[in-house]
Amino acid sequence: MGGDAIVDLNSPLLSPSTGTTVSDERLGIDDMLQRYAGEFGRWQLRHFVLVSMAWALEAFHTMVMIFADQEPDGHGGAKKPPSSDWLGGRDVSSTVAEWGLVGDQRYKIGLVQSIFFLGCMIGSGVFGHLSDSFLGRKGSLIVVCVLNTVFGFLTAVSPDYWVYAALRFLTGFNTGGVGLCAFVLATEPVGPSMRGVAGMSTFYFFSGGIALLAGVAYLFRSWRVLYVITSVPSLLFVVAVLPLVSESPRWYLVRRRTADAMAVMQSIAKKNGKQIPHGITLKLDDENEESEATTIKNGQGGVERVIMSGSVVDLLRSPITRVRLFGSVAINFLCSVVYYGLSLNVVNLDTNIYLSVLLNAVAEIPAYIVTALLLDRFGRKPLAIGTMWFSGVFCVIGSLVGNVGVLKVVRMISGVIGIFGMAATYNLLFIYTIELFPTVVRNAALGCTTQAAQMGAILAPLVVVIGGAVPFAVFGACGSSTPTTNRMDSMGGGAAADLHSPFLSPSQGTAVSDERLGIDDMLQRHTGEFGRWQLRHFVLVSMAWALEAFHTMVMIFADQEPNGYGDAAEPPSSDWLGGGDASTITEWGLVGDQRYKIGLAQSIFFLGCMIGSGVFGHLSDSFLGRKGSLIVVCVLNTIFGLLTAVSPDYWVYAALRFLTGFSTGGVGLCAFVLATEPVGPSMRGVAGMSTFYFFSGGIAFLAGIAYLFRSWRVLYVMTSLPSLLFVVAVLPLVSESPRWYLVRRRTADAMAVMQSIAKKNGKQISQGITLKLDDENEEEEVTTIKNGQGGVEKVIASGSIVDVLRSRTTRVRLFVSVAINFLCSVVYYGLSLNVVNLETNIYLSVLLNAVAEMPAYFLTALLLDRFGRKPLAIGTMWFSGVFCVIGCLVGNVGVLKVCHLQCSELVG
């Protein structure tokens, strides 16, 4: 009777078939994040940033070996240390200097670094298991940070090499768990749609940690003090940061602590301004699954259906996952050899080690940005292979050049660009590996690839210690030998085709009335020619013209000379313009018979512009696209600009200015096309002319920056950083050109942009309206041209230069247009650069030139329709020429200097 009573008490008063039940629902964590708590709100952002700081700690403990184990220049091959004060003495030394690790003992440098990575490999496996078991993610992170502090302090007091090696192994054992635990703890509370982006963003903290380490090492030159300084942050992280973060709700759930998991989810929802309804509870995502049956594409159009339990044996059972595993392991191994090898190889470059490490770290950050931006456009596999080959090519270049004189800088640049490419590959590998394997065996696959990467890291120091050109050659071989296979495609490709197929073929059912329009017609009739969308897009993209002005006109200030010393045989003192590094002229004495080098470097820049405009004009029409090309040129401008700032001599400076010109040549071109193509035809001309306001504004702004930063090296840094900010903060807000999408047969993407334009402009595209290429129905273009004698010529044109030359009329027009453009360019850039000869305030002169350009654009727009194109063009050109003649007739003394200046403004 008692038993029956218990059953009755627990049963509902009304069965489901006879009454109403209390609504409740059990959801997995991902479902709850998506539907109720928020995928990436204020809670997740704060949690992610705090936890990801641990990656900077991992960078400290890993890369500290670069500075602690460095050797003095020129003593790597010595039999024994020449004195006890290498690198400044025992208190400002390295392990190499203290224990004489040169000659036949030099192998010990690579050995201790490999021992550290061996510890990392073992520790990642141990703490990966502990973070899944009783310790948890947060508990494991506390343990590894405390142990890293302890072993770091002990390393600082190592009495000899072998104790030092043992303590580095123990530090590596803990460090192997830092990134792993931090990654899982930071990303598990993030919703599934944002988890990949969050996972990729953790690498920014690692690169930032390396950059910060370079500064710390510069301040503290003793290796013992450096180990103390880099260990203290781990303790501060445990004391000040980890108490502010929560344990992973997923770990709580796995450990059957459902109440704690729900408490975290409620906290997430509350902080994100959301609410979890009453009656909603958590369950494990796989709680109702007895086994997971996974469908895998077999590479021959069919599929394999495999029931997997989640072990490495399951990975090897299927030939598809087996091939993917071996390919992923090989790629991770090779990438790790190159990445860690290039990072450690700075000790062999014979350049400033602190600057080299800083540049490597800085190069990684735009690599992550570019990867994120280009990922969906090119796909995982092509982008991963491309960036790996890109890195390999520059490693090969580094192995071919010598390590003397200016070639040292070339080798350093090759290493920096190699790091850029390999960091991008590393960033891709995480996402690519996840998508290659079914969920049930994903962790096992990630474990294998992680171990392969650690094995590559173990090998890298042993390659670096060989020295010379060998490390670069090995890294080039690793970067160029990418294993590829048709079976290494992401999961679900076949499903995608089914999902995108129509329910009814064109022959079935009732056809929907539709109309196919060119982009110009659609802009005019449905979306609006220049509304709010186009205005915002135009302003954002046209900012790139200000960047072009920075990179072009910076030479005015960087290459300026003191008044009266242009014809001097040598610089009279080292403090021209306030210091020896105020301009390139004062630093390298470009006066007298060396003065020609000023104009030579500037002409080399414009030569690069000419070549780059052709190259990037082609790339913007092909696979890169307008936006992709603009990203590439801005990133390259940042890199080359920063490298220009550290040029050791004139010829390296000139070479880097050529490279900067090469990428700058694509900036205005890509920005002009991207800004104007979404504008309607009636407004496109006005929009195109308006881009010049941004160029002139950039010059005016540059004058202020140059006034504040008088050192040419600092000025190049300050004018290069905005290009990176533009890529990070502005370009993600703009769309690719719908015209490019259409040419590339990506009609759905083009329509998505047009729908966005219409919506922002308060309009609507009628149902059934689709896009077509403007010339899709034209077999040939028949052009009628006035022949100058009152008649016409009818020409069938295909679009090549041959067609332009075939007709006498177009041939004459071409030659005249080329001549006028050439002459105008000589005058415009000549007057802009000639401010250095006016012997007036150079900052004011450049500012006035820039300001004078703006009313010129405005007046041109106002008078264009009244006077016509040809009379107005000839009139303004003659007007400019007259004042140039006046400028050459007056002297350059006293008040006549101002006449010179005023003539220059009127000419502009």
Side-chain angles (χ1 to χ4, degrees):
M1 185 68 187
D4 293 338
I6 294 174
V7 172
D8 291 340
L9 287 172
N10 286 330
S11 63
L13 295 177
L14 294 175
S15 66
S17 60
T18 59
T20 304
T21 62
V22 178
S23 174
D24 63 359
E25 189 177 7
R26 300 181 70 233
L27 299 175
I29 286 180
D30 285 350
D31 289 335
M32 188 173 286
L33 288 168
Q34 288 176 308
R35 294 167 58 179
Y36 298 111
E39 294 197 69
F40 198 83
R42 292 174 59 193
W43 191 97
Q44 284 100 334
L45 177 61
R46 173 180 175 274
H47 178 86
F48 176 80
V49 171
L50 291 175
V51 175
S52 296
M53 290 179 184
W55 280 87
L57 305 179
E58 179 174 2
F60 278 13
H61 293 290
T62 303
M63 298 303 177
V64 67
M65 65 180 72
I66 297 174
F67 304 102
D69 301 336
Q70 66 174 306
E71 57 189 271
D73 293 342
H75 291 298
K79 299 290 186 181
K80 60 181 180 179
S83 64
S84 62
D85 59 351
W86 278 10
L87 298 172
R90 182 180 176 84
D91 292 335
V92 283
S93 65
S94 73
T95 57
V96 177
E98 185 160 328
W99 294 319
L101 306 182
V102 294
D104 59 358
Q105 297 295 306
R106 192 168 187 260
Y107 75 94
K108 290 183 178 179
I109 305 172
L111 178 62
V112 70
Q113 295 171 354
S114 294
I115 286 173
F116 170 85
F117 287 116
L118 176 63
C120 288
M121 184 176 71
I122 299 172
S124 62
V126 172
F127 284 104
H129 172 71
L130 291 176
S131 67
D132 284 336
S133 59
F134 69 96
L135 263 185
R137 283 75 158 116
K138 182 177 176 181
S140 298
L141 195 54
I142 292 172
V143 170
V144 293
C145 287
V146 170
L147 290 177
N148 263 348
T149 304
V150 173
F151 292 131
F153 285 157
L154 292 176
T155 303
V157 294
S158 302
D160 57 45
Y161 171 82
W162 293 110
V163 173
Y164 171 74
L167 288 168
R168 285 299 287 162
F169 171 82
L170 294 174
T171 305
F173 179 82
N174 306 313
T175 302
V178 173
L180 176 68
C181 298
F183 183 89
V184 175
L185 182 58
T187 56
E188 279 192 337
V190 176
S193 69
M194 293 295 294
R195 196 169 293 140
V197 176
M200 292 170 67
S201 300
T202 57
F203 295 111
Y204 290 105
F205 293 86
F206 187 81
S207 301
I210 298 174
L212 186 60
L213 174 64
V216 172
Y218 180 80
L219 296 174
F220 302 97
R221 302 295 181 93
S222 168
W223 72 271
R224 296 183 183 274
V225 175
L226 185 58
Y227 270 113
V228 172
I229 297 298
T230 54
S231 300
V232 170
S234 293
L235 182 59
L236 295 177
F237 181 74
V238 171
V239 174
V241 177
L242 283 181
L244 304 177
V245 303
S246 302
E247 178 58 272
S248 165
R250 200 175 300 271
W251 179 80
Y252 277 140
L253 204 56
V254 170
R255 303 297 293 179
R256 308 300 178 185
R257 295 170 58 176
T258 309
D260 292 325
M262 274 302 298
V264 175
M265 299 302 290
Q266 292 285 3
S267 174
I268 295 173
K270 183 179 179 181
K271 189 72 173 179
N272 292 347
K274 297 179 178 290
Q275 187 175 4
I276 299 175
H278 183 69
I280 301 295
T281 56
L282 281 170
K283 70 170 184 176
L284 287 171
D285 293 324
D286 57 352
E287 193 170 295
N288 298 326
E289 300 175 9
E290 294 181 5
S291 64
E292 179 165 344
T294 302
T295 300
I296 306 171
K297 290 174 64 181
N298 64 14
Q300 285 80 37
V303 297
E304 294 183 19
R305 189 169 177 85
V306 183
I307 297 179
M308 297 182 173
S309 61
S311 68
V312 176
V313 175
D314 291 315
L315 280 169
L316 299 175
R317 185 180 299 156
S318 164
I320 309 302
T321 55
R322 185 166 62 244
V323 171
R324 291 176 178 175
L325 177 65
F326 292 155
S328 299
V329 164
I331 293 174
N332 274 271
F333 174 81
L334 295 172
C335 286
S336 185
V337 171
V338 179
Y339 176 80
Y340 285 106
L342 288 173
S343 299
L344 299 175
N345 196 54
V346 293
V347 298
N348 293 326
L349 298 180
D350 291 339
T351 55
N352 186 305
I353 191 172
Y354 308 100
L355 178 61
S356 297
V357 172
L358 177 62
L359 289 176
N360 278 354
V362 170
E364 293 180 21
I365 296 174
Y368 304 145
I369 297 170
V370 170
T371 303
L373 292 175
L374 300 181
L375 186 62
D376 291 330
R377 170 169 296 176
F378 298 109
R380 278 68 166 154
K381 183 177 176 180
L383 196 57
I385 294 173
T387 53
M388 196 169 177
W389 282 353
F390 179 81
S391 176
V393 167
F394 278 92
C395 288
V396 171
I397 293 173
S399 69
L400 296 177
V401 299
N403 202 31
V404 292
V406 68
L407 296 180
K408 291 182 181 180
V409 180
V410 176
R411 182 172 279 187
M412 182 185 76
I413 294 172
S414 298
V416 171
I417 299 177
I419 278 279
F420 172 85
M422 198 50 62
T425 309
Y426 240 131
N427 201 21
L428 285 164
L429 284 180
F430 168 74
I431 294 180
Y432 191 27
T433 304
I434 282 180
E435 294 179 348
L436 281 175
F437 299 96
T439 305
V440 70
V441 291
R442 189 168 292 156
N443 284 343
L446 283 173
C448 292
T449 55
T450 301
Q451 295 297 305
Q454 296 291 357
M455 291 176 67
I458 292 171
L459 177 63
L462 301 177
V463 175
V464 170
V465 80
I466 298 173
V470 174
F472 270 111
V474 173
F475 305 150
C478 290
S480 305
S481 58
T482 311
T484 60
T485 171
N486 291 331
R487 295 187 175 188
M488 289 190 66
D489 297 316
S490 50
M491 301 296 298
D498 293 333
L499 289 172
H500 288 99
S501 63
F503 288 103
L504 293 175
S505 65
S507 61
Q508 294 174 294
T510 303
V512 179
S513 175
D514 59 6
E515 184 180 8
R516 301 180 71 233
L517 299 176
I519 286 181
D520 285 350
D521 288 336
M522 187 172 287
L523 288 168
Q524 289 175 309
R525 295 165 55 180
H526 296 286
T527 66
E529 294 196 69
F530 197 82
R532 292 174 59 194
W533 191 97
Q534 284 100 335
L535 177 61
R536 173 181 176 273
H537 178 85
F538 175 80
V539 170
L540 291 176
V541 175
S542 295
M543 290 179 184
W545 279 85
L547 304 179
E548 180 174 2
F550 280 9
H551 292 289
T552 303
M553 298 304 180
V554 66
M555 64 180 75
I556 297 173
F557 305 101
D559 301 337
Q560 64 175 306
E561 59 188 273
N563 294 335
Y565 290 114
D567 298 322
E570 59 182 21
S573 65
S574 63
D575 61 349
W576 283 6
L577 298 172
D581 66 344
S583 79
T584 57
I585 297 175
T586 59
E587 184 158 332
W588 295 319
L590 305 182
V591 295
D593 60 355
Q594 297 294 307
R595 193 167 186 258
Y596 76 94
K597 291 183 178 179
I598 305 171
L600 179 61
Q602 295 171 353
S603 295
I604 285 173
F605 170 85
F606 286 115
L607 175 63
C609 289
M610 183 178 71
I611 299 172
S613 61
V615 172
F616 286 104
H618 171 71
L619 291 176
S620 68
D621 284 336
S622 59
F623 69 97
L624 263 185
R626 284 75 159 116
K627 183 178 176 181
S629 297
L630 196 54
I631 291 170
V632 170
V633 293
C634 288
V635 170
L636 290 177
N637 264 347
T638 304
I639 294 172
F640 294 137
L642 294 175
L643 292 176
T644 302
V646 295
S647 301
D649 56 44
Y650 170 82
W651 292 110
V652 175
Y653 171 76
L656 288 167
R657 286 300 287 162
F658 171 81
L659 293 174
T660 306
F662 177 79
S663 47
T664 301
V667 174
L669 176 70
C670 299
F672 183 89
V673 175
L674 182 59
T676 57
E677 279 192 335
V679 177
S682 68
M683 293 295 295
R684 195 169 293 141
V686 176
M689 293 171 64
S690 301
T691 56
F692 296 112
Y693 288 103
F694 292 86
F695 186 82
S696 302
I699 298 174
F701 193 51
L702 172 65
I705 295 175
Y707 180 79
L708 295 174
F709 303 97
R710 302 296 179 93
S711 165
W712 73 272
R713 294 183 183 275
V714 176
L715 185 58
Y716 270 111
V717 172
M718 299 307 296
T719 53
S720 299
L721 292 178
S723 294
L724 181 60
L725 294 177
F726 180 74
V727 172
V728 176
V730 177
L731 283 181
L733 304 177
V734 303
S735 301
E736 179 58 272
S737 165
R739 199 176 301 272
W740 179 81
Y741 277 140
L742 205 55
V743 170
R744 303 297 292 179
R745 308 300 179 186
R746 296 171 59 175
T747 310
D749 292 325
M751 274 301 298
V753 176
M754 300 303 288
Q755 292 284 4
S756 175
I757 295 173
K759 183 178 180 181
K760 189 73 174 179
N761 291 348
K763 296 180 178 289
Q764 187 174 4
I765 299 175
S766 304
Q767 187 176 9
I769 302 294
T770 56
L771 281 170
K772 69 171 184 176
L773 288 171
D774 292 325
D775 57 352
E776 192 170 296
N777 298 326
E778 300 175 10
E779 294 182 3
E780 59 185 14
E781 183 171 347
V782 181
T783 305
T784 300
I785 307 171
K786 292 174 64 178
N787 65 14
Q789 283 80 38
V792 295
E793 294 182 24
K794 203 167 186 180
V795 181
I796 297 176
S798 61
S800 69
I801 191 68
V802 175
D803 293 315
V804 178
L805 298 175
R806 184 180 299 157
S807 164
R808 179 178 180 276
T809 305
T810 55
R811 184 166 62 247
V812 171
R813 290 176 180 176
L814 176 65
F815 292 153
V816 173
S817 298
V818 167
I820 292 175
N821 276 272
F822 173 80
L823 295 173
C824 286
S825 183
V826 170
V827 177
Y828 176 80
Y829 287 106
L831 288 171
S832 299
L833 298 175
N834 194 54
V835 292
V836 298
N837 293 325
L838 298 180
E839 297 184 14
T840 54
N841 186 303
I842 191 172
Y843 309 100
L844 179 62
S845 298
V846 172
L847 178 62
L848 289 176
N849 275 353
V851 171
E853 293 180 18
M854 295 185 183
Y857 305 144
F858 185 69
L859 287 174
T860 304
L862 288 178
L863 302 177
L864 188 61
D865 292 330
R866 173 168 296 181
F867 296 104
R869 274 71 167 160
K870 183 176 177 180
L872 194 59
I874 294 174
T876 53
M877 197 170 177
W878 282 355
F879 179 83
S880 173
V882 167
F883 278 93
C884 284
V885 171
I886 295 173
C888 76
L889 294 177
V890 300
N892 201 31
V893 292
V895 71
L896 295 181
K897 292 182 181 179
V898 181
C899 293
H900 256 136
L901 177 61
Q902 290 177 338
C903 289
S904 179
E905 309 315 324
L906 290 170
V907 169

